Amino acid sequence: MAERLNYAKAFPEGIHEVLNLEKTIRASGLESSLLGLVKTRASQMNGCAYCIDMHTKDARAEGETEQRLYALSAWRETPFFTPRERAALAWTETLTNIQQGHASDEEYAAVRSQFDEAGLVRLTLAITQINTWNRIAIGFRAEPGIYQPTAHGRREAKPKLKRAAHRLLRGWPPAAF
């Protein structure tokens, strides 16, 4: 599928603000590995090929195991995830699947047992943020496979895309999510 349009070029101010929230979330104190699992799981649920490609590559570059990535869609059936990760993944599924019902008191209590108030708000914003990126990438058909992480796990598009993003966003990091 061909990309439908360059959304960053069409509305750079809006994308700039989405990027700014992404930067804030990354600096919020939530573990990078936890964010990677949450982003990948929400992207799987939403069927966002671009984001699945990006976040699994980033996770591997940051040391995540293939075993855990392969089992992520069936995380409840495996012993590979910590109680904190399990709570975050359950909360991710709850907030991503709001058409199935809203977050119950039981689901809230489970995630609250692993996250303090600030941590839960940070996690919730991370989940809403990846759902935003999924909808942007799906709606405009972002091309999966072009994204490559750097050796240090930092996010980076291929050089041609990186140069274009730098010109477009005037110095913002080229990869947003």
Side-chain angles (χ1 to χ4, degrees):
M1 288 187 271
E3 186 172 85
R4 289 179 168 155
L5 63 88
N6 181 335
Y7 51 85
K9 183 176 181 183
F11 187 33
E13 303 87 358
I15 297 302
H16 179 83
E17 293 304 321
V18 177
L19 288 166
N20 194 37
L21 179 56
E22 183 67 33
K23 183 179 175 183
T24 300
I25 290 167
R26 276 192 249 140
S28 73
L30 288 175
E31 308 92 292
S32 179
S33 60
L34 181 77
L35 289 171
L37 294 173
V38 164
K39 290 176 180 185
T40 301
R41 183 65 190 124
S43 299
Q44 288 173 335
M45 294 174 69
N46 289 322
C48 184
Y50 182 86
C51 294
I52 293 168
D53 178 65
M54 172 184 280
H55 298 302
T56 56
K57 286 176 179 175
D58 281 343
R60 288 293 295 132
E62 294 175 5
E64 186 58 75
T65 68
E66 290 182 25
Q67 181 182 46
R68 284 169 34 108
L69 290 173
Y70 296 155
L72 189 55
S73 63
W75 64 269
R76 293 177 196 270
E77 308 302 321
T78 72
F80 309 143
F81 302 95
T82 69
R84 182 174 168 86
E85 290 168 338
R86 290 177 166 297
L89 291 168
W91 194 240
T92 299
E93 290 181 356
T94 294
L95 297 183
T96 300
N97 266 337
I98 58 173
Q99 75 280 7
Q100 304 285 325
H102 296 152
S104 70
D105 290 340
E106 294 79 18
E107 291 165 327
Y108 177 79
V111 73
R112 191 66 174 84
S113 73
Q114 295 294 320
F115 291 84
D116 64 15
E117 287 181 0
L120 183 54
V121 173
R122 290 176 180 118
L123 175 63
T124 300
L125 284 174
I127 294 165
T128 62
Q129 181 75 347
I130 188 55
N131 276 283
T132 296
W133 282 123
N134 288 166
R135 282 144 181 80
I136 291 168
I138 290 168
F140 299 122
R141 292 189 179 155
E143 183 184 347
I146 62 170
Y147 175 82
Q148 295 299 319
T150 66
H152 303 291
R154 289 184 51 228
R155 292 146 177 91
E156 182 174 289
K158 285 190 174 179
K160 179 180 173 186
L161 295 172
K162 182 178 178 180
R163 285 190 302 274
H166 274 292
R167 282 193 308 271
L168 179 63
L169 298 174
R170 303 205 193 294
W172 262 114
F177 40 130

